[in-house]
Amino acid sequence: MSKRILITGGSGFIGSRLVSQWLADGHQVSVYTRRPDAVRQRWPQLEQAASRFDDFHGPFDWLVNLAGEGIADQRWSEARKQVLRNSRIELTDTLAQWAINTGQRFEVVLSGSAIGIYGALEGTAEQQQVDEQSPYGSDFSANLCAEWEQAAAPLKPLTQRLVLLRTGVVLGPGGGMLKRLWLPFLLGLGGRIGSGEQYLSWIHMDDYLGAIDFLLHQPVEGAVNMTSPYAQTNAQFSRTLAATLKRPALLPVPGCPLKLALGEMSDLLLKGQKVQPVVLQQQGFEFHFPQLADALGDIRNHW
Ligand SMILES: NC(=O)c1ccc[n+]([C@@H]2O[C@H](COP(=O)([O-])OP(=O)(O)OC[C@H]3O[C@@H](n4cnc5c(N)ncnc54)[C@H](OP(=O)(O)O)[C@@H]3O)[C@@H](O)[C@H]2O)c1
């Protein structure tokens, strides 16, 4: 059945795939974006594209809130941290206020968050292991995600179900983290970062999109870890990516200069989380690419 969908972040790496899929499935899609003209040009079949929530005319069945400035795009100066906060927390606040003021009622709301909520961890596999019940961290990323989730809480009374998407590193052709790694690894310049023992919790784009569809239809609520069940250490990840591209992974990147160059943001690379997607697994979601080698092989074939 055709649904009326409002999405923020619909022009991004993940959101654009959702919009294209939903349009192909015959849904009525509206996109909140800072660039409505460009978005309308890309998808002329959209119901609406606008840069102010007040310009949207409901009702909507599904609300999917993914907007956010790139967390790893620039060094975290105080000004940059504010941009990262505003694009998630303030935006979600404004969205919730609009929904309350205009009397919206949704079947389901999926709102963004990330696995950074568990904090940047290090140590043994056990020390880095987390699931949806684990405590929050206390660093910048963790606080950002916790406040992002909190900002979505006022939407809860307006929807039958509120799901918080604790997204891991999404792997797909042409975007996200792999876009930065592909060329150096293709040139044989890739290697582990720091000790290489920090875990990277990843998910293939197809499984991410499949999990979104699953969560839109299944009676799931609350926080959901959006990762493959098989997180890999950074050293394993580097070896697998190099092997996929048939290149050596000989050049380790030492931690100290990264800390100097990136400051606090180096935590994203030098520490990690070994995330278990307990909710998805308990609910019976089936991953097509649970194993990294298969996921990267598929992405290489579609790059
Ligand atoms: N990709 C990953 O591996 C990953 C991992 C963890 C969490 N996430 C989170 O998942 C969400 C989507 O990720 P993505 O990779 O698709 O991101 P992306 O490609 O960087 O796209 C970001 C989207 O957010 C919107 N946006 C950015 N800043 C905004 C602002 N100040 N005001 C309004 N909209 C803004 C952009 O819309 P316009 O430019 O059209 O306005 C764009 O559609 C993000 O919030 C990201 O933090 C992603």
Side-chain angles (χ1 to χ4, degrees):
M1 205 181 95
S2 169
K3 297 288 181 185
R4 295 158 299 188
I5 309 171
L6 174 60
I7 180 169
T8 77
S11 62
F13 176 49
I14 298 169
S16 60
R17 275 137 168 118
L18 287 170
V19 170
S20 297
Q21 185 59 52
W22 288 331
L23 289 172
D25 292 345
H27 297 305
Q28 299 166 43
V29 184
S30 296
V31 177
Y32 170 86
T33 169
R34 293 165 297 177
R35 299 165 293 139
D37 290 341
V39 165
R40 254 184 248 115
Q41 218 168 359
R42 180 169 183 187
W43 294 292
Q45 328 85 294
L46 285 180
E47 288 294 304
Q48 302 170 72
S51 57
R52 287 163 18 110
F53 290 114
D54 284 337
D55 291 338
F56 289 102
H57 317 293
F60 295 100
D61 303 305
W62 298 346
L63 170 62
V64 177
N65 176 33
L66 293 177
E69 293 276 354
I71 192 101
D73 287 357
Q74 289 177 32
R75 207 175 196 271
W76 293 345
S77 62
E78 280 313 310
R80 181 65 187 167
K81 284 181 176 177
Q82 201 51 47
V83 167
L84 294 173
R85 282 194 205 98
N86 289 347
S87 66
R88 293 180 172 76
I89 300 157
E90 203 177 84
L91 187 144
T92 304
D93 272 340
T94 311
L95 169 63
Q97 271 315 314
W98 163 82
I100 291 166
N101 295 342
T102 55
Q104 302 292 322
R105 289 290 179 275
F106 307 101
E107 281 174 24
V108 54
V109 175
L110 306 187
S111 196
S113 180
I115 57 172
I117 199 162
Y118 303 113
L121 305 173
E122 48 193 344
T124 63
E126 209 166 278
Q127 286 165 329
Q128 293 184 58
Q129 181 147 321
V130 290
D131 63 29
E132 285 91 349
Q133 301 302 320
S134 299
Y136 299 171
S138 55
D139 51 38
F140 171 69
S141 296
N143 292 336
L144 179 70
C145 293
E147 286 180 52
W148 194 7
E149 292 193 4
Q150 257 165 30
L155 290 164
K156 204 165 177 209
L158 314 184
T159 178
Q160 293 170 31
R161 295 187 293 117
L162 171 63
V163 179
L164 301 163
L165 304 167
R166 292 188 178 162
T167 302
V169 173
V170 181
L171 302 180
M177 190 193 77
L178 270 188
K179 192 174 168 189
R180 294 162 198 239
L181 296 182
W182 207 254
L183 187 61
F185 272 78
L186 207 52
L187 295 173
L189 299 173
R192 70 172 157 76
I193 299 177
S195 72
E197 287 164 17
Q198 68 279 29
Y199 272 83
L200 196 150
S201 293
W202 59 275
I203 183 167
H204 188 292
M205 177 66 88
D206 288 0
D207 279 334
Y208 193 87
L209 301 178
I212 293 266
D213 192 57
F214 182 85
L215 294 169
L216 287 169
H217 292 94
Q218 298 300 315
V220 181
E221 282 187 81
V224 178
N225 289 339
M226 301 286 281
T227 65
S228 141
Y230 302 109
Q232 301 282 298
T233 65
N234 175 276
Q236 290 165 332
F237 186 91
S238 303
R239 274 198 301 272
T240 309
L241 180 55
T244 304
L245 297 174
K246 301 189 170 43
R247 298 287 191 278
L250 299 174
L251 294 175
V253 182
C256 277
L258 268 185
K259 273 189 202 156
L260 281 176
L262 300 178
E264 203 179 346
M265 200 173 99
S266 64
D267 275 2
L268 289 180
L269 298 170
L270 296 170
K271 298 180 184 176
Q273 306 86 10
K274 186 172 190 277
V275 176
Q276 298 298 302
V278 168
V279 172
L280 283 179
Q281 287 185 300
Q282 280 178 347
Q283 295 293 328
F285 176 71
E286 285 184 24
F287 290 85
H288 281 102
F289 297 100
Q291 302 291 349
L292 183 64
D294 297 335
L296 290 176
D298 177 75
I299 291 166
R300 180 198 53 210
N301 296 340
H302 291 94
W303 197 275

PDB file of all heavy atoms in Angstrom, residues 6 60-63 98-99 104-109 155 158-161:
ATOM      1  N   LEU A   6       7.752  11.406   4.956  1.00  0.00           N
ATOM      2  CA  LEU A   6       8.584  12.612   5.062  1.00  0.00           C
ATOM      3  C   LEU A   6       9.963  12.172   5.528  1.00  0.00           C
ATOM      4  O   LEU A   6      10.084  11.443   6.520  1.00  0.00           O
ATOM      5  CB  LEU A   6       7.975  13.598   6.066  1.00  0.00           C
ATOM      6  CG  LEU A   6       8.812  14.844   6.378  1.00  0.00           C
ATOM      7  CD1 LEU A   6       9.082  15.677   5.119  1.00  0.00           C
ATOM      8  CD2 LEU A   6       8.114  15.716   7.438  1.00  0.00           C
ATOM      9  N   PHE A  60       1.359  12.504   7.209  1.00  0.00           N
ATOM     10  CA  PHE A  60       2.381  11.547   6.785  1.00  0.00           C
ATOM     11  C   PHE A  60       2.218  10.259   7.581  1.00  0.00           C
ATOM     12  O   PHE A  60       1.870  10.300   8.765  1.00  0.00           O
ATOM     13  CB  PHE A  60       3.781  12.119   7.030  1.00  0.00           C
ATOM     14  CG  PHE A  60       4.078  13.334   6.200  1.00  0.00           C
ATOM     15  CD1 PHE A  60       3.987  14.606   6.745  1.00  0.00           C
ATOM     16  CD2 PHE A  60       4.423  13.205   4.862  1.00  0.00           C
ATOM     17  CE1 PHE A  60       4.254  15.734   5.975  1.00  0.00           C
ATOM     18  CE2 PHE A  60       4.685  14.326   4.078  1.00  0.00           C
ATOM     19  CZ  PHE A  60       4.597  15.599   4.639  1.00  0.00           C
ATOM     20  N   ASP A  61       2.477   9.129   6.941  1.00  0.00           N
ATOM     21  CA  ASP A  61       2.436   7.840   7.641  1.00  0.00           C
ATOM     22  C   ASP A  61       3.781   7.527   8.298  1.00  0.00           C
ATOM     23  O   ASP A  61       3.845   7.059   9.424  1.00  0.00           O
ATOM     24  CB  ASP A  61       2.095   6.716   6.650  1.00  0.00           C
ATOM     25  CG  ASP A  61       0.786   6.969   5.933  1.00  0.00           C
ATOM     26  OD1 ASP A  61      -0.222   7.164   6.627  1.00  0.00           O
ATOM     27  OD2 ASP A  61       0.787   7.008   4.680  1.00  0.00           O
ATOM     28  N   TRP A  62       4.843   7.763   7.527  1.00  0.00           N
ATOM     29  CA  TRP A  62       6.195   7.444   8.027  1.00  0.00           C
ATOM     30  C   TRP A  62       7.029   8.711   8.061  1.00  0.00           C
ATOM     31  O   TRP A  62       6.991   9.517   7.108  1.00  0.00           O
ATOM     32  CB  TRP A  62       6.914   6.460   7.084  1.00  0.00           C
ATOM     33  CG  TRP A  62       6.273   5.117   6.931  1.00  0.00           C
ATOM     34  CD1 TRP A  62       5.286   4.561   7.703  1.00  0.00           C
ATOM     35  CD2 TRP A  62       6.593   4.138   5.921  1.00  0.00           C
ATOM     36  NE1 TRP A  62       4.966   3.315   7.235  1.00  0.00           N
ATOM     37  CE2 TRP A  62       5.755   3.023   6.150  1.00  0.00           C
ATOM     38  CE3 TRP A  62       7.506   4.092   4.871  1.00  0.00           C
ATOM     39  CZ2 TRP A  62       5.800   1.879   5.350  1.00  0.00           C
ATOM     40  CZ3 TRP A  62       7.553   2.963   4.069  1.00  0.00           C
ATOM     41  CH2 TRP A  62       6.705   1.866   4.316  1.00  0.00           C
ATOM     42  N   LEU A  63       7.805   8.885   9.136  1.00  0.00           N
ATOM     43  CA  LEU A  63       8.767   9.986   9.246  1.00  0.00           C
ATOM     44  C   LEU A  63      10.145   9.359   9.454  1.00  0.00           C
ATOM     45  O   LEU A  63      10.316   8.545  10.376  1.00  0.00           O
ATOM     46  CB  LEU A  63       8.397  10.874  10.441  1.00  0.00           C
ATOM     47  CG  LEU A  63       9.422  11.943  10.844  1.00  0.00           C
ATOM     48  CD1 LEU A  63       9.655  12.947   9.720  1.00  0.00           C
ATOM     49  CD2 LEU A  63       8.940  12.679  12.111  1.00  0.00           C
ATOM     50  N   TRP A  98       7.385  21.247  15.114  1.00  0.00           N
ATOM     51  CA  TRP A  98       6.479  21.363  13.960  1.00  0.00           C
ATOM     52  C   TRP A  98       5.416  20.261  14.001  1.00  0.00           C
ATOM     53  O   TRP A  98       4.231  20.514  13.807  1.00  0.00           O
ATOM     54  CB  TRP A  98       7.296  21.285  12.658  1.00  0.00           C
ATOM     55  CG  TRP A  98       6.454  20.988  11.459  1.00  0.00           C
ATOM     56  CD1 TRP A  98       5.710  21.868  10.727  1.00  0.00           C
ATOM     57  CD2 TRP A  98       6.249  19.693  10.852  1.00  0.00           C
ATOM     58  NE1 TRP A  98       5.044  21.213   9.715  1.00  0.00           N
ATOM     59  CE2 TRP A  98       5.365  19.879   9.772  1.00  0.00           C
ATOM     60  CE3 TRP A  98       6.726  18.410  11.124  1.00  0.00           C
ATOM     61  CZ2 TRP A  98       4.955  18.820   8.961  1.00  0.00           C
ATOM     62  CZ3 TRP A  98       6.315  17.364  10.330  1.00  0.00           C
ATOM     63  CH2 TRP A  98       5.433  17.578   9.255  1.00  0.00           C
ATOM     64  N   ALA A  99       5.865  19.039  14.307  1.00  0.00           N
ATOM     65  CA  ALA A  99       4.926  17.904  14.318  1.00  0.00           C
ATOM     66  C   ALA A  99       3.874  18.099  15.413  1.00  0.00           C
ATOM     67  O   ALA A  99       2.687  17.816  15.210  1.00  0.00           O
ATOM     68  CB  ALA A  99       5.693  16.597  14.524  1.00  0.00           C
ATOM     69  N   GLN A 104       0.535  16.370  13.855  1.00  0.00           N
ATOM     70  CA  GLN A 104       0.862  15.181  13.050  1.00  0.00           C
ATOM     71  C   GLN A 104       0.671  13.903  13.873  1.00  0.00           C
ATOM     72  O   GLN A 104       0.885  13.906  15.090  1.00  0.00           O
ATOM     73  CB  GLN A 104       2.324  15.233  12.576  1.00  0.00           C
ATOM     74  CG  GLN A 104       2.696  16.452  11.757  1.00  0.00           C
ATOM     75  CD  GLN A 104       2.020  16.467  10.397  1.00  0.00           C
ATOM     76  OE1 GLN A 104       1.869  15.441   9.754  1.00  0.00           O
ATOM     77  NE2 GLN A 104       1.595  17.650   9.977  1.00  0.00           N
ATOM     78  N   ARG A 105       0.301  12.839  13.203  1.00  0.00           N
ATOM     79  CA  ARG A 105       0.249  11.501  13.819  1.00  0.00           C
ATOM     80  C   ARG A 105       0.873  10.524  12.829  1.00  0.00           C
ATOM     81  O   ARG A 105       0.450  10.483  11.669  1.00  0.00           O
ATOM     82  CB  ARG A 105      -1.203  11.069  14.081  1.00  0.00           C
ATOM     83  CG  ARG A 105      -1.872  11.832  15.208  1.00  0.00           C
ATOM     84  CD  ARG A 105      -1.272  11.438  16.581  1.00  0.00           C
ATOM     85  NE  ARG A 105      -1.891  12.175  17.674  1.00  0.00           N
ATOM     86  CZ  ARG A 105      -1.509  13.395  18.075  1.00  0.00           C
ATOM     87  NH1 ARG A 105      -0.498  14.007  17.486  1.00  0.00           N
ATOM     88  NH2 ARG A 105      -2.123  13.995  19.081  1.00  0.00           N
ATOM     89  N   PHE A 106       1.868   9.756  13.290  1.00  0.00           N
ATOM     90  CA  PHE A 106       2.594   8.853  12.383  1.00  0.00           C
ATOM     91  C   PHE A 106       2.348   7.403  12.775  1.00  0.00           C
ATOM     92  O   PHE A 106       2.111   7.098  13.935  1.00  0.00           O
ATOM     93  CB  PHE A 106       4.106   9.123  12.463  1.00  0.00           C
ATOM     94  CG  PHE A 106       4.495  10.562  12.246  1.00  0.00           C
ATOM     95  CD1 PHE A 106       4.793  11.392  13.326  1.00  0.00           C
ATOM     96  CD2 PHE A 106       4.551  11.091  10.964  1.00  0.00           C
ATOM     97  CE1 PHE A 106       5.150  12.715  13.126  1.00  0.00           C
ATOM     98  CE2 PHE A 106       4.907  12.420  10.758  1.00  0.00           C
ATOM     99  CZ  PHE A 106       5.204  13.234  11.845  1.00  0.00           C
ATOM    100  N   GLU A 107       2.480   6.512  11.777  1.00  0.00           N
ATOM    101  CA  GLU A 107       2.494   5.070  12.090  1.00  0.00           C
ATOM    102  C   GLU A 107       3.833   4.718  12.725  1.00  0.00           C
ATOM    103  O   GLU A 107       3.912   3.942  13.667  1.00  0.00           O
ATOM    104  CB  GLU A 107       2.366   4.248  10.800  1.00  0.00           C
ATOM    105  CG  GLU A 107       0.971   4.144  10.268  1.00  0.00           C
ATOM    106  CD  GLU A 107       0.978   3.440   8.917  1.00  0.00           C
ATOM    107  OE1 GLU A 107       1.918   2.671   8.610  1.00  0.00           O
ATOM    108  OE2 GLU A 107       0.023   3.669   8.162  1.00  0.00           O
ATOM    109  N   VAL A 108       4.889   5.253  12.123  1.00  0.00           N
ATOM    110  CA  VAL A 108       6.235   4.941  12.624  1.00  0.00           C
ATOM    111  C   VAL A 108       7.164   6.117  12.350  1.00  0.00           C
ATOM    112  O   VAL A 108       7.056   6.783  11.311  1.00  0.00           O
ATOM    113  CB  VAL A 108       6.773   3.609  12.010  1.00  0.00           C
ATOM    114  CG1 VAL A 108       6.722   3.604  10.515  1.00  0.00           C
ATOM    115  CG2 VAL A 108       8.186   3.322  12.470  1.00  0.00           C
ATOM    116  N   VAL A 109       8.036   6.371  13.333  1.00  0.00           N
ATOM    117  CA  VAL A 109       9.093   7.377  13.172  1.00  0.00           C
ATOM    118  C   VAL A 109      10.424   6.656  13.362  1.00  0.00           C
ATOM    119  O   VAL A 109      10.632   5.985  14.377  1.00  0.00           O
ATOM    120  CB  VAL A 109       8.967   8.506  14.225  1.00  0.00           C
ATOM    121  CG1 VAL A 109      10.148   9.464  14.112  1.00  0.00           C
ATOM    122  CG2 VAL A 109       7.646   9.253  14.069  1.00  0.00           C
ATOM    123  N   LEU A 155       8.593  13.180  19.950  1.00  0.00           N
ATOM    124  CA  LEU A 155       7.813  12.601  18.843  1.00  0.00           C
ATOM    125  C   LEU A 155       7.074  11.338  19.300  1.00  0.00           C
ATOM    126  O   LEU A 155       6.148  10.873  18.635  1.00  0.00           O
ATOM    127  CB  LEU A 155       8.737  12.251  17.666  1.00  0.00           C
ATOM    128  CG  LEU A 155       9.337  13.447  16.906  1.00  0.00           C
ATOM    129  CD1 LEU A 155      10.515  13.001  16.040  1.00  0.00           C
ATOM    130  CD2 LEU A 155       8.257  14.100  16.027  1.00  0.00           C
ATOM    131  N   LEU A 158       3.398  11.026  19.407  1.00  0.00           N
ATOM    132  CA  LEU A 158       2.746  11.304  18.123  1.00  0.00           C
ATOM    133  C   LEU A 158       2.789  10.108  17.178  1.00  0.00           C
ATOM    134  O   LEU A 158       2.327  10.202  16.040  1.00  0.00           O
ATOM    135  CB  LEU A 158       3.424  12.484  17.411  1.00  0.00           C
ATOM    136  CG  LEU A 158       3.736  13.740  18.222  1.00  0.00           C
ATOM    137  CD1 LEU A 158       4.310  14.813  17.319  1.00  0.00           C
ATOM    138  CD2 LEU A 158       2.483  14.246  18.914  1.00  0.00           C
ATOM    139  N   THR A 159       3.392   9.017  17.622  1.00  0.00           N
ATOM    140  CA  THR A 159       3.596   7.889  16.706  1.00  0.00           C
ATOM    141  C   THR A 159       3.282   6.561  17.395  1.00  0.00           C
ATOM    142  O   THR A 159       3.427   6.438  18.613  1.00  0.00           O
ATOM    143  CB  THR A 159       5.046   7.890  16.158  1.00  0.00           C
ATOM    144  OG1 THR A 159       5.215   6.762  15.312  1.00  0.00           O
ATOM    145  CG2 THR A 159       6.092   7.835  17.266  1.00  0.00           C
ATOM    146  N   GLN A 160       2.862   5.593  16.585  1.00  0.00           N
ATOM    147  CA  GLN A 160       2.631   4.264  17.167  1.00  0.00           C
ATOM    148  C   GLN A 160       3.955   3.642  17.621  1.00  0.00           C
ATOM    149  O   GLN A 160       4.009   2.916  18.591  1.00  0.00           O
ATOM    150  CB  GLN A 160       1.936   3.367  16.144  1.00  0.00           C
ATOM    151  CG  GLN A 160       0.518   3.836  15.841  1.00  0.00           C
ATOM    152  CD  GLN A 160      -0.086   3.093  14.650  1.00  0.00           C
ATOM    153  OE1 GLN A 160       0.225   1.940  14.395  1.00  0.00           O
ATOM    154  NE2 GLN A 160      -0.944   3.778  13.914  1.00  0.00           N
ATOM    155  N   ARG A 161       5.033   3.948  16.854  1.00  0.00           N
ATOM    156  CA  ARG A 161       6.344   3.394  17.218  1.00  0.00           C
ATOM    157  C   ARG A 161       7.433   4.425  16.919  1.00  0.00           C
ATOM    158  O   ARG A 161       7.432   5.035  15.847  1.00  0.00           O
ATOM    159  CB  ARG A 161       6.663   2.136  16.396  1.00  0.00           C
ATOM    160  CG  ARG A 161       5.748   0.976  16.669  1.00  0.00           C
ATOM    161  CD  ARG A 161       6.215  -0.270  15.949  1.00  0.00           C
ATOM    162  NE  ARG A 161       6.115  -0.175  14.507  1.00  0.00           N
ATOM    163  CZ  ARG A 161       7.143  -0.217  13.665  1.00  0.00           C
ATOM    164  NH1 ARG A 161       8.373  -0.362  14.123  1.00  0.00           N
ATOM    165  NH2 ARG A 161       6.958  -0.129  12.369  1.00  0.00           N
TER     166      ARG A 161
END
